Structure formats: C-alpha cells, structure tokens
Amino acid sequence: PLEKGSIKSYDKMMNVLYSPEERAKLEWAIGAIIAGDSKNIQKFIVLYGEAGTGKTVLSSIIQDIVDPTTHNVLAIPDNREDMGVALSCHYLLTVDNISELSKGTSDLLCQASTGGSVISRTKFTNFEASIVSFKNCVILNGITVENAKPDLLDRTIKLEMEQLTGTYDSVEEILDSFR
C-alpha cells in the first residue's frame, strides 16, 4: 500500500494534524500493529476523543497501511454471526464511531484478542455447522470508552486523541494524497 501513496503526504498530514508527542504515540500504535505486537501482547487499540480529533482519518490510514481493503472502516455489525465473519475476513478490523457495545460484542472482541470462534447452523441445512475462527488486531474509535466492559478494557491500549491543530485539507484530500 505504501507504494501507491506518498510518504510525504503522510508526513505532511501527521506534522500538520498532531503535536510531536501525539504523533509519537500514534506511530507507536501503528508500529505495534505492523510488527504484529498487538496480536502477540493480546491487546488492541482504542482511539477516543471529541469530534474533530481525526479518529476516523487515522483509522483509515492505519487500515490502508496494514490491511488494505475496499472499505477502510466499518460500522459494528449487529449480530454475533456477522461480527465473527467481519473478524475472520481481516487481519486488522477497524470499527468506526463506537458509542456503545453490547455484552455479546464486547465478549467477541475479547475473544478476538486471544483467538475465538463463532458457530452457527449452515444456511439451508438442519444439522450442518459453520465455524468461523479468528484472532485479530482491532482498532475501535469513538468519543468515549466509558461504557466498555472491564474485561474488554483490560485488553485495550487506549489512546486519547487531541484536537487537531493547524490547517489541513479536507478529509478526502488527506486520504487521497496518502493513497
């Protein structure tokens, strides 16, 4: 993915949008995912902060670097089966604009950090099972992490995003220049 974009675009975006301290924190998180450390240490990343802190933009860029897909960030799936499929289809699952998590979703995310499976009846059969397995790097972003369950919070590296500084292009221009 880096061949398609320009590292100059990335540097420009990071220098304009984030303080040096914030940039170092974010780049550590990106490096942990790329190196596979976030899978080995059984943690995943939560980007949280007020509106206008660049959570979705940064999530999209990390997704492009680590596990490029046609859909950079996803809404959280509504049911356990769909969440299992989403987890099994990605090395890095990036979920956007989390405002609350159900107990079932929280449990699945906990399983994603250590490895898990979802079983369901195979469609149009009575006694056949479909099993989807996963162990993932995950990025969640949202305004708060207050409502997350304690066992989920124990598995996260929480990065509070600061308000963006400086002037910058539109989100589309930033992402297009990177891609």
Side-chain angles (χ1 to χ4, degrees):
L2 287 178
E3 300 85 40
K4 293 181 183 175
S6 166
I7 196 69
K8 290 179 186 177
S9 296
Y10 172 81
D11 277 336
K12 175 185 172 190
M13 180 203 69
M14 294 302 281
N15 287 331
V16 169
L17 300 182
Y18 302 106
S19 69
E21 297 81 20
E22 187 79 356
R23 180 177 176 166
K25 181 171 62 173
L26 298 172
E27 288 178 340
W28 172 85
I30 294 169
I33 293 170
I34 291 172
D37 290 344
S38 64
K39 264 187 149 175
N40 295 334
I41 61 176
Q42 299 178 348
K43 300 279 187 180
F44 54 91
I45 296 167
V46 174
L47 303 175
Y48 71 100
E50 296 300 317
T53 55
K55 299 177 298 290
T56 300
V57 172
L58 186 62
S59 296
S60 295
I61 289 171
I62 295 170
Q63 184 76 43
D64 276 349
I65 292 170
V66 176
D67 187 15
T69 64
T70 56
H71 51 276
N72 285 341
V73 294
L74 300 172
I76 198 112
D78 289 332
N79 63 55
R80 186 173 182 84
E81 185 178 312
D82 290 344
M83 184 68 174
V85 170
L87 286 164
S88 72
C89 291
H90 297 87
Y91 171 79
L92 171 64
L93 179 66
T94 304
V95 183
D96 195 29
N97 290 321
I98 299 291
S99 58
E100 63 181 4
L101 293 171
S102 69
K103 182 181 180 328
T105 298
S106 181
D107 290 346
L108 272 176
L109 289 171
C110 289
Q111 288 179 343
S113 72
T114 56
S117 299
V118 172
I119 187 169
S120 63
R121 183 177 53 82
T122 302
K123 304 285 189 225
F124 310 111
T125 68
N126 289 326
F127 300 107
E128 291 181 38
S130 295
I131 300 173
V132 181
S133 298
F134 46 82
K135 182 175 180 185
N136 295 71
C137 298
V138 177
I139 294 177
L140 303 174
N141 80 49
I143 292 178
T144 183
V145 292
E146 307 288 322
N147 63 350
K149 308 289 183 267
D151 58 339
L152 179 64
L153 287 175
D154 287 346
R155 291 172 169 85
T156 62
I157 299 167
K158 296 169 282 299
L159 300 174
E160 183 173 10
M161 304 289 289
E162 298 174 1
Q163 280 293 10
L164 300 177
T165 59
T167 57
Y168 52 92
D169 302 327
S170 71
V171 170
E172 292 79 19
E173 288 174 306
I174 291 170
L175 292 175
D176 286 346
S177 69
F178 180 73
R179 292 183 183 131

